[in-house]
Amino acid sequence: DTEVTQTPKHLVMGMTNKKSLKCEQHMGHRAMYWYKQKAKKPPELMFVYSYEKLSINESVPSRFSPECPNSSLLNLHLHALQPEDSALYLCASSTRTGEGVWDEKLFFGSGTQLSVL
Amino acid sequence: AQTVTQSQPEMSVQEAETVTLSCTYDTSENNYYLFWYKQPPSRQMILVIRQEAYKQQNATENRFSVNFQKAAKSFSLKISDSQLGDTAMYFCAFFTRYGKLTFGQGTILTVHP
């Protein structure tokens, strides 16, 4: 299995809702990533988890809350979002072969298209 | 900090012809990787080709090849025998040993029949 699975594929939510995005991989990867992508723009890194610990937070607003409950699963909890948060949210994973060593090949999921009304 | 620049917002090419997409980058790192990713309308990110900075030989993958000029910090993608399925947005990307993948602004490539 060489897939990164993201659910749901589409999500519409109001500004007062709480929702979660889910990302799952069964490749034994120990690094997982969240990216945000607006239409016709490049993906922007949000968070990186390494060995289930938050490694990088790119100054993302607190209304986005990541969670890595185990080595196969990555969640992104959403609360009180703004319409400008509407975007494609991409998850990715890669191997980690040791301390300070990152595998450069990222496997991307197909994304969750989020619309905030 | 690393920056990746793609100076061609849009390109077009006739089917079966060759097209070259440009990318420049800036970094103080010595060990890094460079990539070209393709994102078709489905928005799935697909790895096209990768280059390790310490390798002088240019990477090739079937119809795709790169021209890597490390001193000039240039990394262009050549697509030979263009096909309709090559129509997509192409991103140049830079990966550091700290786990960060940084993308350029992208080039929309349209292949015309």
Side-chain angles (χ1 to χ4, degrees), chain A residues 21-39:
Chain A
L21 309 185
K22 180 180 170 182
C23 173
E24 202 163 4
Q25 55 85 16
H26 297 287
M27 295 178 278
H29 291 173
R30 302 305 295 275
M32 297 187 78
Y33 309 77
W34 280 115
Y35 282 85
K36 173 183 177 180
Q37 186 180 22
K38 295 282 223 179

Side-chain angles (χ1 to χ4, degrees), chain A residues 5-8 19-25 32-34 46-47 49 54 64-70 72-78 89 91:
Chain A
T5 303
Q6 289 188 244
T7 54
K19 296 285 185 184
S20 297
L21 309 185
K22 180 180 170 182
C23 173
E24 202 163 4
Q25 55 85 16
M32 297 187 78
Y33 309 77
W34 280 115
M46 300 174 72
F47 303 104
Y49 271 83
L54 187 62
F64 295 91
S65 176
E67 178 197 21
C68 191
N70 61 58
S72 300
L73 188 56
L74 183 66
N75 297 318
L76 186 62
H77 302 299
L78 314 172
Y89 288 83
C91 175

